């Protein structure tokens, strides 16, 4: 009997061995050779297609085009920008005065050349951003990655000298981060040694580090549990006042928010799933991801509220409602200028931008008369003035960057990308599909105005469905030239799991409700077929990362519905 049991165990163990486990060694010789062979098969098939060379050449031209928008990051009196092109493959970090940038012909001052640095150090450095010392912005903490991984090396940089500070703040490679608290103090989260990282691979500790002292001697002010996701520190500023913020992430969507004040830690009594969205005029702005009941009053999920910050630190809650969205509206972005709050909304998957002012203890709003029927994005705000930048785009309109002023609610177009295809030939329609549980799921269809509803149109269906990410109309030059101009129909589905209709839409696709996401996707596919836009023989699906998981599951569950699958870098 014992020998039979042992034989069964050995058989089960052998049966469970993964014969493709070697593919997990992504840099392994065998894995790379496999990829090379698969690419050769794919390229061989694609290159025999009649339109291949034309599509390839046009797409390459678009990707290499010098026509790009130089997006601003505003720090003090300067506009900062990280730029990559064929001459600067790894990129340059540069700045220009505000006046120079606004002129349209900026006089750029190169601060850091990543190609030059990589050549000198024989390391493929990747720029991962920089945070400056407020309000002078003469010193920055520059984040650098070796090869593009999540772990970063943090170095102090003097922008006036255009050089790293000798003997300055230096944090060796690790997942984590650092921010200035003052000229001689930073708050650091990094790998401090044994037992200082969580099981998720992020820092447990936040420490305050004084200039001229060893990193290991930095003062421990917070330590997360080993099973938490991690903890990070930073600054929360309100005009001339600043507060030391320490956030412990329990999960991606839940956290504890703490303030280090008067040499002690104060945990803010706010919901763990609320998103802290800024501090303005002593009002801490929160985006509620679930209902919040305070003193018998309920603040519904999705509401944008503010609290008297200094009273909150004392344990008191004085709450103001900024905005309570309806069923078709969700808060997408919140940012602030010197004296105004900017709120970017999505209403039935179309953007609307509002300016909020806190006057006489109440929030009042004014709509920005931005272009309609598309997607607005907040590109940059200025903490020293009410100037800000926003973008607008849709399926048929290339992105335009606008310069605006929240003080007088004015804006003007600043820079636009060129059109790579004639948008006047195409139409955008929005439909709804009924999912398995009766939920109506919206989706967009982009097609030629001459499209015949005969079920024969090659159609590409795209979706994401995760992490509260909203999939919104945007201009894709390559989709237009490679797909639409060759007779294809493009479809964007706003399935559950995303953030198009707020946290409830996202949460309806989590855990035991995950099948809703796949049912939504299948429902859109079936609706496309019932409208005779396409048929299962002409329907392809596409998704990347979480969307790659989506299309992988979709094809596995319903191979009858889909003729082709593009499963890009999937979470499989």
């Amino acid at each position: 009997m014992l020998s039979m049991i042992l034989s069964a165990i050995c058989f089960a163990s052998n049966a469970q061995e993964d014969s493709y486990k070697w593919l997990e060694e992504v840099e392994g010789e065998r894995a790379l050779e496999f990829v090379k062979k698969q690419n050769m098969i794919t390229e061989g098939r694609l290159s025999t297609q009649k339109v291949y060379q034309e599509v390839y050449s046009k797409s390459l031209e678009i990707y290499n085009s010098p026509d790009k928008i130089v997006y601003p990051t505003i720090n003090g009196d300067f506009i900062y920008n990280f730029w990559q092109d064929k001459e600067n493959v790894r990129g340059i970090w540069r700045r220009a005065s505000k006046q120079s940038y606004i002129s349209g012909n900026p006089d750029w001052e190169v601060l850091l050349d990543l190609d030059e640095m990589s050549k000198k150090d024989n390391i493929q450095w990747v720029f991962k951003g920089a945070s400056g010392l407020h309000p002078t912005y003469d010193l920055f903490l520059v984040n650098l990655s070796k090869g593009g991984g999540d772990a970063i090396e943090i170095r102090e940089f003097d922008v006036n000298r255009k050089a790293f500070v000798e003997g300055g703040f230096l944090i060796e490679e690790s997942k984590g981060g650092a921010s200035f608290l003052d000229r001689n103090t930073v708050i650091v989260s990094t790998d401090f040694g044994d037992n200082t990282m969580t099981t998720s691979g992020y820092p447990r500790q936040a420490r305050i580090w004084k200039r001229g002292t060893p990193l290991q001697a930095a003062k421990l002010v917070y330590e997360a549990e080993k099973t938490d996701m991690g903890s990070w520190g930073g600054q929360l500023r309100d005009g001339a006042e600043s507060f030391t913020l320490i956030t412990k992430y329990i999960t991606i969507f839940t956290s504890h928010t703490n303030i280090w004040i008067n040499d002690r830690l104060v945990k803010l009594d706010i919901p763990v799933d609320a998103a802290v969205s800024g501090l303005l005029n002593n009002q801490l702005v929160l985006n509620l991801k679930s209902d919040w009941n305070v003193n018998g009053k309920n603040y519904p999920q999705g509401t944008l509220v503010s609290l008297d910050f200094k009273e909150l630190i004392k344990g008191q809650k004085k709450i103001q409602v900024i905005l309570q969205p309806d069923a078709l509206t969700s808060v997408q972005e919140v940012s602030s200028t010197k004296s105004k709050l900017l709120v970017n909304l999505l209403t039935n998957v179309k953007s609307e931008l509002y300016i909020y002012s806190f006057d006489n203890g109440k929030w009042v709003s004014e709509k920005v008369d931005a272009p309609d029927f598309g997607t607005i994005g907040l590109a940059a705000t200025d903490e020293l003035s009410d100037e800000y930048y926003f973008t607008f785009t849709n399926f048929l309109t290339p992105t335009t960057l606008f310069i605006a002023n929240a003080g007088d609610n004015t804006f003007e177009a600043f820079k636009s990308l060129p059109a790579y295809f004639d948008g006047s030939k195409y139409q955008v329609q929005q439909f709804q599909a009924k999912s398995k549980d009766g939920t109506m799921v919206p989706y967009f269809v982009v097609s030629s105005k001459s499209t015949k509803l005969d079920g024969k149109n090659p159609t590409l269906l795209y979706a994401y469905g995760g992490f509260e990410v909203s999939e919104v109309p945007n201009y894709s030059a390559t989709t237009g030239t490679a797909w639409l101009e060759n007779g294809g129909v493009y479809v964007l589905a706003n399935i559950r799991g995303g953030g198009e209709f707020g946290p409830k839409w996202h949460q309806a696709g989590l855990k035991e409700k995950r099948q809703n996401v796949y049912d939504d996707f299948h429902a859109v596919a079936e609706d496309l077929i019932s409208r005779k836009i396409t048929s299962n023989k002409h329907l392809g699906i596409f998704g990347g990362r979480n969307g790659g998981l989506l299309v992988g599951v979709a094809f596995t569950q319903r191979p009858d519905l889909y003729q082709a699958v593009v499963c890009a870098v999937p979470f499989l």
Side-chain angles (χ1 to χ4, degrees):
M1 176 67 73
L2 179 61
S3 62
M4 288 175 62
I5 293 173
L6 291 174
S7 296
I9 292 172
C10 291
F11 177 80
S13 176
N14 291 332
Q16 291 173 9
E17 285 184 8
D18 186 353
S19 60
Y20 290 98
K21 192 172 178 63
W22 49 271
L23 281 171
E24 295 180 9
E25 298 177 22
V26 293
E27 299 293 336
E29 185 177 338
R30 189 179 177 190
L32 292 175
E33 184 60 31
F34 174 81
V35 170
K36 183 179 178 181
K37 288 181 179 178
Q38 297 304 309
N39 284 345
M40 287 176 64
I41 294 170
T42 302
E43 289 169 7
R45 291 181 179 177
L46 289 177
S47 60
T48 60
Q49 301 298 310
K50 191 184 300 182
V51 297
Y52 173 79
Q53 195 56 51
E54 181 184 347
V55 167
Y56 179 88
S57 299
K58 186 62 178 178
S59 298
L60 187 62
E61 176 192 335
I62 292 168
Y63 291 133
N64 287 334
S65 172
D67 294 317
K68 299 177 183 178
I69 292 177
V70 181
Y71 288 102
T73 298
I74 308 171
N75 289 308
D77 296 326
F78 289 88
I79 299 290
Y80 288 76
N81 171 262
F82 183 71
W83 182 258
Q84 291 173 292
D85 56 28
K86 61 181 180 181
E87 280 80 32
N88 302 284
V89 177
R90 307 213 73 78
I92 53 174
W93 185 42
R94 58 190 185 174
R95 72 175 181 176
S97 69
K98 290 179 180 177
Q99 295 80 6
S100 177
Y101 178 81
I102 292 171
S103 74
N105 187 28
D107 181 17
W108 290 111
E109 178 185 5
V110 176
L111 303 171
L112 187 61
D113 186 325
L114 272 293
D115 291 276
E116 186 179 280
M117 184 179 170
S118 296
K119 186 177 180 181
K120 179 183 176 183
D121 297 344
N122 196 29
I123 296 173
Q124 298 301 305
W125 290 112
V126 175
F127 185 78
K128 290 280 189 169
S131 59
L133 171 65
H134 174 82
T136 58
Y137 291 104
D138 58 328
L139 297 176
F140 280 77
L141 295 174
V142 174
N143 302 326
L144 298 165
S145 165
K146 296 175 181 177
D150 290 340
I152 54 174
E153 184 175 297
I154 303 173
R155 301 186 189 183
E156 187 178 10
F157 190 87
D158 187 323
V159 292
N160 293 326
R161 293 179 53 246
K162 301 183 186 65
F164 291 107
V165 177
E166 189 174 346
F169 292 114
L170 172 63
I171 302 164
E172 299 295 340
E173 185 180 44
S174 169
K175 292 181 180 178
S179 298
F180 278 109
L181 298 183
D182 60 43
R183 194 168 197 83
N184 295 305
T185 313
V186 297
I187 186 163
V188 182
S189 295
T190 190
D191 185 348
F192 290 101
D194 292 344
N195 206 35
T196 64
M197 303 293 279
T198 67
T199 52
S200 297
Y202 295 100
R204 290 180 63 194
Q205 298 181 349
R207 299 191 187 190
I208 293 178
W209 184 21
K210 292 289 186 180
R211 187 182 297 281
T213 64
L215 177 60
Q216 290 297 331
K219 181 177 182 177
L220 177 65
V221 294
Y222 190 81
E223 185 170 41
E225 297 297 325
K226 196 167 185 178
T227 53
D228 290 327
M229 183 178 172
S231 63
W232 287 265
Q235 262 199 341
L236 198 58
R237 289 196 294 273
D238 185 12
E241 290 188 280
S242 62
F243 302 87
T244 300
L245 178 74
I246 301 170
T247 304
K248 176 183 83 169
Y249 282 92
I250 306 165
T251 67
I252 295 174
F253 299 108
T254 57
S255 63
H256 289 163
T257 303
N258 307 275
I259 301 297
W260 180 258
I261 187 169
N262 298 328
D263 225 23
R264 69 185 184 94
L265 194 73
V266 177
K267 179 184 173 185
L268 300 184
D269 186 14
I270 59 177
V272 294
D273 60 350
V276 175
S277 300
L279 179 63
L280 181 68
N281 296 333
N282 191 42
Q283 294 294 303
L284 183 71
V285 180
L286 298 181
N287 191 351
L288 301 181
K289 304 298 183 179
S290 59
D291 289 357
W292 190 25
N293 191 286
V294 180
N295 298 326
K297 183 173 181 178
N298 185 60
Y299 298 90
Q301 179 184 54
T303 302
L304 194 67
V305 301
S306 72
L307 293 89
D308 184 308
F309 184 58
K310 291 178 181 176
E311 288 299 311
L312 181 63
I313 291 175
K314 297 175 185 177
Q316 302 299 314
K317 300 187 190 74
K318 295 182 178 180
I319 304 175
Q320 297 282 344
V321 173
I322 303 173
L323 167 71
Q324 185 175 324
D326 60 26
L328 294 179
T329 303
S330 64
V331 176
Q332 294 295 297
E333 293 179 290
V334 179
S335 191
S336 60
T337 62
K338 183 180 180 180
S339 64
K340 304 293 182 180
L341 192 71
L342 302 172
V343 181
N344 188 12
L345 301 178
L346 205 59
T347 300
N348 199 20
V349 206
K350 303 174 190 72
S351 292
E352 296 178 349
L353 182 60
Y354 289 83
I355 298 169
Y356 280 81
S357 305
F358 192 65
D359 296 331
N360 300 316
K362 297 289 182 181
W363 289 99
V364 293
S365 68
E366 184 179 4
K367 187 177 181 181
V368 178
D369 191 22
D372 293 323
F373 305 111
T375 302
I376 294 170
L378 293 173
T381 57
D382 188 352
E383 63 186 352
L384 302 180
S385 76
D386 283 325
E387 285 192 350
Y388 69 101
Y389 293 81
F390 71 89
T391 58
F392 177 83
T393 187
N394 60 33
F395 291 112
L396 305 178
T397 306
T399 300
T400 294
L401 178 67
F402 293 85
I403 183 170
N405 190 297
D408 57 13
N409 195 6
T410 58
F411 65 90
E412 61 178 319
F414 180 66
K415 174 72 174 178
S416 296
L417 290 177
Y420 285 94
F421 61 94
D422 183 0
S424 66
K425 297 179 181 178
Y426 304 97
Q427 61 185 353
V428 178
Q429 297 168 287
Q430 189 179 31
F431 299 112
Q432 287 185 315
K434 182 181 284 190
S435 195
K436 188 175 182 179
D437 65 356
T439 299
M440 300 307 293
V441 180
Y443 65 94
F444 292 97
V445 176
V446 188
S447 63
S448 170
K449 291 177 179 177
S450 61
T451 296
K452 295 180 180 179
L453 299 180
D454 57 7
K456 297 179 180 178
N457 299 294
T459 300
L460 182 63
L461 168 60
Y462 175 85
Y464 188 75
F467 298 97
E468 206 170 346
V469 173
S470 300
E471 289 298 334
V472 292
N474 72 291
Y475 186 86
S476 171
T478 50
T479 298
T481 58
W483 187 247
L484 296 178
E485 288 191 337
N486 283 292
V489 173
Y490 179 75
V491 179
L492 177 67
N494 302 115
I495 61 179
R496 282 174 284 185
E500 290 88 343
F501 300 106
K504 185 177 291 186
W505 195 250
H506 167 233
Q507 293 165 15
L510 295 178
K511 299 178 180 179
E512 74 279 1
K513 300 175 183 177
R514 189 65 189 165
Q515 184 59 41
N516 288 337
V517 176
Y518 310 125
D519 290 341
D520 290 358
F521 194 71
H522 300 322
V524 172
E526 290 173 328
D527 201 61
L528 288 167
I529 293 170
S530 69
R531 293 178 186 274
K532 297 190 180 298
I533 292 171
T534 191
S535 66
N536 59 341
K537 292 182 179 179
H538 299 285
L539 179 59
I541 55 178
F542 170 42
R545 299 179 69 83
N546 184 76
L549 170 64
L550 165 70
V551 297
V553 173
F555 183 70
T556 302
Q557 291 185 349
R558 293 293 307 273
D560 58 303
L561 266 183
Y562 312 109
Q563 185 69 14
V565 181
V566 181
C567 185
V569 286
F571 292 162
L572 287 174

